[in-house]
Amino acid sequence: MIVVMSVGATEQEAKDVRDLIASAGLTPHDNYGTQRVVIAVLGDVGPQRDHLMSKLNLMPGVDSVTPISRPFKLTSRESHPEDTIVELHGTRIGNGTLTIMAGPCSIEGRAMMIETAQAVANGGATILRGGAFKPRTSPYAFQGLGIEGLEYLHDAGKATGLPTITEVMEPSQVEVVAKHSDILQVGTRNMQNYSLLTAVGKAGKPVMLKRGFGATIEEWLMAAEYIVSSGQPNVILCERGIRTFETYTRNTLDLTAVPLLHHLTHLPVVVDPSHATGKRWLVRPMAMAAVAAGADGIMVEVHPKPDEAKSDGEQSLTFAQFEDMASALKKIHEEVKTLNKDPFAMAGPVRVDGVSKH
Ligand code: PEP
Ligand code: MN
């Protein structure tokens, strides 16, 4: 449930509410980004729910107490109707502008990273990507430059003024990745690595959580809930395709996730058509479709010489292809930004099929 305090509620009144929640064996959690003090009640409320709700309702300074029907509490729209806007120095994600994250799959060297960063910055990117710790299917494939790669990413970000994003694969890497990068990325293979989710949630940096290739929307949001409940409210969700029977594409891009997530959660939604399709020529049309569907941004892989890339060359764009795609995306975004306004209102009170019945 969530407790909404009145506009003029005092800090003492809010504290009394938190104390009552704690004395019931539950955890009070302040919701950020809202106009008033909103306190979420986390934990298994069980049979004491009605009693606790009426007790909270009677407390001074309390405006309303509402149950949250979804199992994901802090990430649900019910608990936080306003969109979460992730603020990075100079850039915002989820505020209605189009975020374009671009860069190489793997950081391969300093010169290559700076060259790519400059090309994508000139071509319209707003965030610079690059992998230093690479989750590779084969143990014999290039595993990334590690900390050396993080330094190149950091320098390329500084040289271009672009905020940076890179993947962190395990809890022991969180500190060093957070030191070098503006956003921490959790990859598809780690979406349900709960110790990693908790660790990134405590690192003090925004996190982009990619969808597990076998995860339902609800499992994905529960994973995001781990990060937010560990202390990090700025989580970006990235749809990057799911595993289906189709083998022609690397994954199957689930674009319904975009309006569905806007309905269910206040978190920004980004789409990665590179890993979703695995094919360079499919990246542009799927990026266009993602923007048309209302995505807050896209993430794509770009390489100076895709055919020589150490990883994912077949899905990486050339500089010219990136620039051409980015200008098409900006036009589509201008066209559709007012049309995609409010999926929440359109769906109304009807429960979305296949999502929690809790
Ligand atoms: C990546 O973005 O570098 C990556 C490995 O993506 P995913 O986790 O979606 O496969
Ligand atoms: Mn890749």
Side-chain angles (χ1 to χ4, degrees):
M1 69 184 79
I2 52 163
V3 183
V4 179
M5 303 300 291
S6 338
V7 176
T10 64
E11 185 36 49
Q12 184 58 47
E13 286 167 343
K15 185 182 177 300
D16 292 344
V17 166
R18 289 187 204 103
D19 289 348
L20 179 72
I21 295 166
S23 69
L26 299 160
T27 309
H29 189 287
D30 281 14
N31 257 357
Y32 303 91
T34 47
Q35 299 296 324
R36 325 186 201 191
V37 177
V38 175
I39 302 165
V41 181
L42 303 181
D44 194 2
V45 187
Q48 60 174 338
R49 196 179 88 161
D50 291 352
H51 179 63
L52 183 63
M53 274 182 77
S54 48
K55 253 171 122 175
L56 285 165
N57 245 323
L58 291 171
M59 291 184 77
V62 171
D63 183 64
S64 63
V65 184
T66 334
I68 305 173
S69 59
R70 312 282 185 198
F72 42 93
K73 305 292 177 194
L74 300 171
T75 53
S76 92
R77 241 296 168 218
E78 286 169 295
S79 76
H80 190 297
E82 302 89 350
D83 288 337
T84 286
I85 298 171
V86 177
E87 305 250 3
L88 298 154
H89 41 92
T91 306
R92 290 165 145 201
I93 305 170
N95 67 336
T97 58
L98 180 65
T99 295
I100 302 182
M101 304 181 178
C105 176
S106 299
I107 298 158
E108 298 173 10
R110 177 183 288 278
M112 170 270 191
M113 194 58 216
I114 301 272
E115 183 192 357
T116 310
Q118 269 154 358
V120 298
N122 294 337
T126 59
I127 311 259
L128 180 64
R129 70 151 281 150
F133 293 107
K134 295 302 302 175
R136 302 306 302 280
T137 303
S138 166
Y140 311 119
F142 177 59
Q143 302 287 307
L145 294 181
I147 294 173
E148 187 189 338
L150 293 178
E151 282 160 10
Y152 301 154
L153 176 70
H154 179 264
D155 294 350
K158 285 277 164 293
T160 52
L162 294 179
T164 55
I165 180 166
T166 195
E167 178 162 355
V168 51
M169 282 168 52
E170 50 176 273
S172 65
Q173 296 165 350
V174 169
E175 197 182 331
V176 70
V177 174
K179 209 175 114 203
H180 288 84
S181 179
D182 298 299
I183 307 173
L184 309 180
Q185 175 173 320
V186 175
T188 191
R189 298 161 182 81
N190 274 315
M191 192 208 80
Q192 285 181 311
N193 179 340
Y194 298 117
S195 51
L196 180 62
L197 298 176
T198 306
V200 293
K202 291 180 178 157
K205 288 268 167 104
V207 177
M208 186 167 91
L209 179 64
K210 291 190 122 185
R211 181 181 188 173
F213 56 78
T216 64
I217 298 271
E218 188 163 304
E219 286 163 344
W220 188 9
L221 287 169
M222 294 306 285
E225 190 79 12
Y226 268 87
I227 303 171
V228 180
S229 64
S230 303
Q232 179 51 254
N234 295 308
V235 175
I236 303 150
L237 299 166
C238 178
E239 162 63 38
R240 46 78 68 207
I242 48 177
R243 177 77 50 94
T244 67
F245 54 81
E246 179 55 63
T247 53
Y248 194 74
T249 45
R250 185 174 177 179
N251 291 281
T252 297
L253 181 59
D254 177 14
L255 277 184
T256 51
V258 175
L260 189 49
L261 287 169
H262 282 320
H263 174 81
L264 294 170
T265 179
H266 48 88
L267 300 173
V269 182
V270 163
V271 171
D272 170 354
S274 302
H275 291 91
T277 63
K279 289 183 162 65
R280 190 177 311 146
W281 63 276
L282 289 174
V283 170
R284 188 179 195 273
M286 289 302 96
M288 289 167 59
V291 175
D296 296 289
I298 57 139
M299 167 179 263
V300 289
E301 290 182 336
V302 180
H303 194 281
K305 290 186 183 139
D307 294 338
E308 293 171 23
K310 292 196 171 168
S311 59
D312 287 351
E314 60 291 0
Q315 69 194 33
S316 299
L317 303 176
T318 62
F319 296 161
Q321 286 165 341
F322 170 71
E323 195 172 336
D324 171 63
M325 181 200 66
S327 80
L329 296 183
K330 283 181 204 159
K331 285 185 200 150
I332 294 170
H333 182 253
E334 265 318 300
E335 259 328 294
V336 303
K337 68 181 178 198
T338 53
L339 304 177
N340 271 310
K341 238 177 189 166
D342 199 355
F344 193 57
M346 263 176 66
V350 180
R351 190 177 292 284
V352 180
D353 286 340
V355 180
S356 172
K357 303 281 180 281
H358 300 253

